[in-house]
């Protein structure tokens, strides 16, 4: 997406955000809280309308399209706060979204997600509302995977999770990386995140202020210091 | 005892009729967050179209099908033209707009069918009585309504509980906005839900019409009762609609039968009848108040937030 601007009704949050994710690439979307990361993602998925700028996916313009049209092109979302469907069982949460990829591939099914997260398989008949935070996060990831996306977008992949659960989630993300899954990820645990990402985009106050490879980011500690308030 | 069995069956029949109206209302309110005062008008559309078609063909089954389909199609049209503009409006706007629909619908049926409407006669094979209890012949048609209600609600339950569309419907009750990001065409889903609700209301309108005088505004009374049902049962809950409808159908029927008898003990007959009937018509509201005091979100309502 290029020079994206937008926000919530009259409240402009994004001014000039550009993010690019290549095939098979993992890109970190960095920035402090309230800088527009979630707004960027919501706009990408058509949940918010951009006021200007362009979003292209696979060569097609998708800005202004409706969310279901965008997602059917091969984008899937692990939303902030997990947002599993509370009135559906674990199994139904997955069955509700399962679909073949744009190219007809069905690598991820309810079954293969259960292999990836055996803990979920044990709770398949439980309602979403009864899961622990970690299980909800696993389910949210599984729910996005069964859509067999070309681009998986994770907004706050491990927020509020215990360290062991966080490590388990990162282990799964690493498996996805090895399989060549393209991912755009937001996560507060920078050091862990940078072991995963190929490139990173830093946004501040609704503008892209830095983008480059993970090596470059680590090599220029001033960037993290200045925009993220942490050392690398 | 015969009186009790008879009135209980009458109560169940009213309950299932109410359920077919309130199931749609609670789905539409719970999922789409729309207060649809015109839901009773869809009941009316079903009754009128069935009366018309039944009068022409003399075939109950055709009339039932036509009334149900007409209500579903009108519902779909109304959703497309009006309701989808109201999703993001507040409830007052929705009430005003759908109340306007009620007025328009009431006039429209008079313009089309006149003030002296026909009625649907019960199909011949149900136009008899069945002895359900020693010494108690009971109209087969009323039993058929109970059976039809059970069938209709079971189908709806299976749709919501077992199918993918049902999963989306349930997902949509809590995550309306987000559902689109999972590839679901939410607008189309809502049109479908609205049409299902409308079709059920129309179906109820047809099956109930042999007991009613089919006239302009015939669904309005059912609408009010249905709102009480969904508030008692818990807004958006199908299970709540089932329990709420049956509870209120029974309470209303029992109260209308027994309260006048009760007052008979210490009032003269005609006063007892009047007072009893007045108190009876308030009985469901007493139930509503009691339920809301104990469970503010209704019997099966989700907690706030």
């Amino acid at each position: 997406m290029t020079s994206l601007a937008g926000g919530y009704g009259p409240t402009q949050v994004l001014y000039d955000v550009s993010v690019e994710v290549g095939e098979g690439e993992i890109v970190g979307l960095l920035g402090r809280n309230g800088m527009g990361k979630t707004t960027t993602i919501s706009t990408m998925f058509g949940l918010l309308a951009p006021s200007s700028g362009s979003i292209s996916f696979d060569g097609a313009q998708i800005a202004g399209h409706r969310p279901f049209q965008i997602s059917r092109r091969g984008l899937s979302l692990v939303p902030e706060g997990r947002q599993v469907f509370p009135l559906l069982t674990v199994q139904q949460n997955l069955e509700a979204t399962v679909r073949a990829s744009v190219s007809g591939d069905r690598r991820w099914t309810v079954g293969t997600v259960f292999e990836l997260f055996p803990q979920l398989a044990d709770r398949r008949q439980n309602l979403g509302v009864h899961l622990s935070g970690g299980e909800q996060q696993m389910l949210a990831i599984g729910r996005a995977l069964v859509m067999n996306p070309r681009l998986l977008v994770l907004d706050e992949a491990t927020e509020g999770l215990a360290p062991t659960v966080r490590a388990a989630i990162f282990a799964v993300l690493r498996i996805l990386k090895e399989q060549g899954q393209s991912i755009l990820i937001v996560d507060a645990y920078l050091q862990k995140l940078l072991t995963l990402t190929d490139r990173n985009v830093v946004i501040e106050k609704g503008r892209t202020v830095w983008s480059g490879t993970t090596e470059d980011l680590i090599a220029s500690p001033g960037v993290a210091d200045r925009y993220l308030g942490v050392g690398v | 005892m015969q009186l009790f069995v008879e009135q209980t069956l009458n109560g169940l029949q009213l309950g299932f009729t109410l359920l077919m109206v309130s199931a749609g209302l609670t789905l539409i309110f719970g999922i789409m967050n729309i207060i649809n005062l015109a839901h009773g008008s869809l009941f009316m559309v079903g009754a009128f179209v069935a009366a018309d078609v039944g009068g022409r063909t003399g075939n109950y089954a055709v009339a039932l099908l036509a009334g149900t389909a007409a209500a579903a199609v009108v519902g779909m049209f109304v959703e497309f033209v009006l309701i989808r503009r109201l999703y993001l409006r507040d409830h007052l706007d929705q009430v005003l707009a759908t109340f306007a629909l009620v007025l328009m619908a009431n006039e429209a049926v008079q313009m089309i069918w006149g003030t002296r409407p026909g009625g649907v006669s019960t199909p011949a094979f149900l136009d008899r009585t069945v002895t359900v209890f020693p010494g108690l012949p009971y109209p087969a048609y009323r039993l058929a309504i109970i059976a039809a209600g059970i069938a209709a609600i079971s189908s709806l339950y299976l749709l919501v509980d077992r199918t993918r569309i049902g999963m989306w419907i349930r997902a949509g009750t809590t995550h309306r906005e987000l559902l689109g990001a999972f590839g679901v065409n939410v607008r189309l889903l809502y049109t479908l839900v609205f049409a299902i609700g409308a079709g059920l209301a129309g179906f109820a309108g047809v099956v109930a019409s042999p007991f009613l005088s089919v006239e302009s505004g015939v669904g309005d009374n059912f609408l009010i009762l249905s709102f009480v049902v969904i508030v008692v049962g818990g807004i958006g809950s199908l299970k709540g609609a089932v329990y709420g409808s049956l509870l209120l159908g029974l309470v209303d029927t029992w109260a209308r039968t027994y309260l006048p008898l009760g007052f008979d003990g210490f009032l003269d007959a005609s006063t007892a009848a009047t007072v009893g009937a007045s108190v009876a018509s308030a009985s469901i509201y007493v139930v509503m108040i009691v339920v809301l005091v104990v469970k503010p979100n209704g019997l099966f309502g989700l907690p706030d937030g």
Side-chain angles (χ1 to χ4, degrees):
Chain A
M1 53 181 110
T2 321
S3 308
L4 199 65
Y8 303 86
T11 315
Q12 188 168 2
V13 178
L14 306 181
Y15 294 89
D16 184 6
V17 172
S18 298
V19 179
E20 196 186 336
V21 185
E23 181 83 51
E25 214 177 24
I26 301 201
V27 175
L29 183 59
L30 315 180
R32 278 190 283 242
N33 286 338
M35 292 300 163
K37 291 174 302 207
T38 295
T39 310
T40 300
I41 288 170
S42 299
T43 308
M44 221 173 129
F45 278 87
L47 298 169
L48 295 172
S51 50
S52 66
S54 75
I55 309 174
S56 72
F57 186 72
D58 247 358
Q61 268 304 314
I62 56 169
H65 286 206
R66 292 174 51 202
F68 83 96
Q69 295 167 323
I70 292 172
S71 101
R72 286 181 189 180
R73 286 180 177 274
L75 271 97
S76 76
L77 175 65
V78 179
E80 184 180 25
R82 312 185 250 279
Q83 314 280 349
V84 302
F85 302 131
L87 305 179
L88 271 58
T89 63
V90 167
Q91 174 123 8
Q92 289 172 338
N93 261 278
L94 299 172
E95 282 173 359
T97 60
V98 67
R99 64 167 59 239
S101 75
V102 180
S103 56
D105 177 42
R106 285 185 180 274
R107 175 155 45 117
W108 291 109
T109 60
V110 176
T112 50
V113 164
F114 282 150
E115 284 168 26
L116 187 68
F117 296 113
Q119 202 177 336
L120 285 184
D122 298 337
R123 310 210 56 178
R124 65 176 78 202
Q125 296 307 333
N126 288 77
L127 289 181
V129 69
H130 294 140
L131 300 182
S132 71
E135 288 164 341
Q136 286 184 15
Q137 187 67 50
M138 293 173 194
L139 182 55
I141 293 174
R143 181 179 62 177
L145 282 177
V146 292
M147 296 172 74
N148 289 291
R150 293 208 57 191
L151 176 63
L152 176 66
V153 179
L154 295 107
D155 194 357
E156 297 295 358
T158 65
E159 189 184 34
L161 299 183
T164 52
V165 183
R166 191 184 308 140
I169 300 281
F170 269 105
V172 165
L173 295 177
R174 216 168 300 283
I175 293 172
L176 296 177
K177 178 180 178 150
E178 281 158 18
Q179 292 178 347
Q181 174 72 53
S182 316
I183 298 177
L184 178 66
I185 180 169
V186 171
D187 197 88
Y189 295 90
L190 191 61
Q191 285 166 4
K192 222 150 173 141
L193 184 63
L194 292 182
T195 63
L196 196 71
T197 58
D198 302 304
R199 287 192 309 109
N200 303 278
V201 174
V202 180
I203 61 176
E204 182 172 75
K205 293 183 181 154
R207 294 173 203 278
T208 295
V209 290
W210 190 90
S211 67
T213 64
T214 300
E215 292 79 29
D216 285 348
L217 183 63
I218 293 170
S220 45
V223 173
D225 238 18
R226 180 163 161 211
Y227 297 115
L228 309 174
V230 288
V232 176
Chain B
M1 190 61 197
Q2 279 173 14
L3 180 67
F4 179 75
V5 173
E6 183 181 18
Q7 292 309 320
T8 301
L9 284 171
N10 284 348
L12 285 176
Q13 178 237 311
L14 174 63
F16 276 107
T17 311
L18 266 180
L19 177 52
M20 288 185 269
V21 181
S22 49
L25 198 63
T26 203
L27 279 183
I28 290 164
F29 196 6
I31 295 164
M32 296 151 70
N33 198 22
I34 286 277
I35 297 186
N36 179 23
L37 292 189
H39 201 67
S41 303
L42 297 161
F43 179 97
M44 177 175 72
V45 167
F48 267 88
V49 170
D52 185 315
V53 173
R56 285 168 206 268
T57 63
N59 186 325
Y60 181 86
V62 173
L64 179 62
L65 214 67
T68 308
V73 170
V74 169
M76 213 182 268
F77 176 74
V78 165
E79 196 278 342
F80 193 78
V81 172
L82 176 72
I83 303 289
R84 62 171 53 182
R85 283 159 233 289
L86 297 174
Y87 291 134
L88 299 177
R89 302 288 198 101
D90 64 29
H91 286 157
L92 180 61
D93 290 359
Q94 297 174 356
V95 165
L96 289 173
T98 56
F99 184 61
L101 269 184
V102 173
L103 300 178
M104 285 157 70
N106 285 348
E107 285 302 315
V109 294
Q110 286 189 24
M111 284 160 70
I112 298 171
W113 286 288
T115 44
R116 211 168 54 83
V120 183
S121 43
T122 52
F125 78 101
L126 290 174
D127 200 6
R128 60 196 178 87
T129 57
V130 179
T131 306
V132 286
F133 191 72
L136 175 65
Y138 194 76
Y141 186 74
R142 285 177 180 264
L143 291 176
I145 290 183
I146 296 177
I150 293 173
I153 294 307
S154 310
S155 317
L156 184 65
Y157 175 79
L158 287 177
L159 174 80
V160 172
D161 194 61
R162 299 290 154 80
T163 68
R164 213 156 172 235
I165 286 177
M167 291 175 199
W168 294 338
I169 290 174
R170 279 178 291 147
T173 43
T174 52
H175 290 88
R176 182 158 42 145
E177 307 286 325
L178 198 61
L179 201 52
F182 293 100
V184 177
N185 186 343
V186 181
R187 268 185 223 168
L188 191 64
L189 182 70
Y190 282 11
T191 307
L192 186 72
V193 170
F194 204 86
I196 291 171
L200 272 174
F203 183 82
V206 183
V207 298
S209 57
F211 309 120
L212 305 166
S213 71
V214 177
E215 58 191 15
S216 174
V218 66
D220 298 350
N221 194 31
F222 277 87
L223 176 82
I224 294 165
L225 289 174
S226 293
F227 268 113
V228 179
V229 163
I230 68 173
V231 168
V232 166
I235 289 167
S237 166
L238 208 49
K239 197 172 163 191
V242 173
Y243 285 87
S245 303
L246 298 183
L247 176 68
L248 294 183
L250 288 170
V251 166
D252 188 67
T253 310
W254 283 334
R256 283 177 201 283
T257 310
Y258 290 108
L259 283 178
L261 295 178
F263 284 111
D264 223 11
F266 47 94
L267 292 171
D268 68 83
S270 73
T271 317
T274 318
V275 173
S278 311
V279 177
S281 59
S283 61
I284 60 165
Y285 300 101
V286 174
V287 173
M288 178 169 79
I289 290 166
V290 171
V291 167
L292 291 185
V293 166
V294 181
K295 298 200 76 169
N297 290 308
L299 296 173
F300 297 96
L302 291 174
D304 294 326

